[in-house]
Amino acid sequence: MNHKTMQAIVTGITGFLSSVLGILYVPVLLMVLCNIIDYITGLMAAPNRKDGINSYKSMRGICKKVTMWLLVVVGAIIDHLLKYAAATFGIALPFTFLIACIVAVWIICNELISILENMVDIGVSLPIFILPLVKHIRSQVDEMTETLTENREEKTFYEK
């Protein structure tokens, strides 16, 4: 296969995924990239940990990564349900994949934390600010979702 054919295939696939996922394309791409990097750095760090490399743990890790992708799909389904319900009442929502994007960002933050922990186990010195920064971003996502949930629970309580 020549260079131009490969380039056309990659362009076609990325164009298709971008058109299907829309705003969710970049977070999903980053999530999958982080999944791959986390898996690789986990394998590299394994000899420095007491457990070592184990085929059962490795397979469990792959299943966990695939389940993360499914969690984003669940978020997208929730987004579609919200959009459908709002449209039923004549309300146009200004977003397409809000829940799915929040889930993807949360997963990316968790993966980044895991990658950084793997790097420490490998023996890499990290800049002092990077791990607290990623943890702060994750906590901001947690706080935002907690606020949304609390507001919904308060409304539900008062509606009764």
Side-chain angles (χ1 to χ4, degrees):
M1 190 177 316
N2 67 25
H3 181 288
K4 294 237 183 229
T5 305
M6 184 60 111
Q7 190 176 18
I9 291 170
V10 169
T11 302
I13 290 171
T14 57
F16 172 75
L17 289 174
S18 177
S19 70
V20 170
L21 296 174
I23 190 107
L24 197 54
Y25 177 69
V26 171
V28 165
L29 196 64
L30 291 173
M31 181 185 66
V32 171
L33 181 64
C34 285
N35 287 154
I36 292 167
I37 293 170
D38 182 46
Y39 187 78
I40 291 169
T41 57
L43 290 175
M44 293 168 65
N48 300 330
R49 296 177 177 151
K50 62 181 176 182
D51 297 349
I53 296 176
N54 170 323
S55 62
Y56 170 74
K57 284 182 75 177
S58 182
M59 195 59 199
R60 197 175 84 197
I62 291 170
C63 289
K64 185 177 173 184
K65 304 294 183 205
V66 171
T67 305
M68 288 176 183
W69 302 346
L70 295 176
L71 190 56
V72 174
V73 171
V74 168
I77 291 169
I78 292 169
D79 284 323
H80 279 289
L81 286 173
L82 290 172
K83 192 172 184 176
Y84 176 77
T88 302
F89 292 107
I91 301 168
L93 296 178
F95 54 83
T96 309
F97 288 117
L98 177 66
I99 306 298
C101 280
I102 292 170
V103 169
V105 168
W106 185 82
I107 290 170
I108 291 167
C109 288
N110 283 326
E111 290 294 273
L112 289 173
I113 291 167
S114 180
I115 291 166
L116 294 172
E117 290 170 348
N118 291 341
M119 289 179 172
V120 167
D121 288 349
I122 292 169
V124 174
S125 296
L126 300 179
I128 196 161
F129 67 88
I130 197 157
L131 190 56
L133 176 67
V134 175
K135 287 183 177 182
H136 178 71
I137 294 168
R138 182 183 67 183
S139 73
Q140 292 299 306
V141 173
D142 285 341
E143 285 178 27
M144 183 177 66
T145 55
E146 190 174 302
T147 301
L148 290 171
T149 304
E150 285 173 358
N151 288 342
R152 180 64 198 140
E153 287 172 358
E154 288 174 12
K155 288 179 184 175
T156 304
F157 176 74
Y158 292 123
E159 289 171 356
K160 290 181 181 178

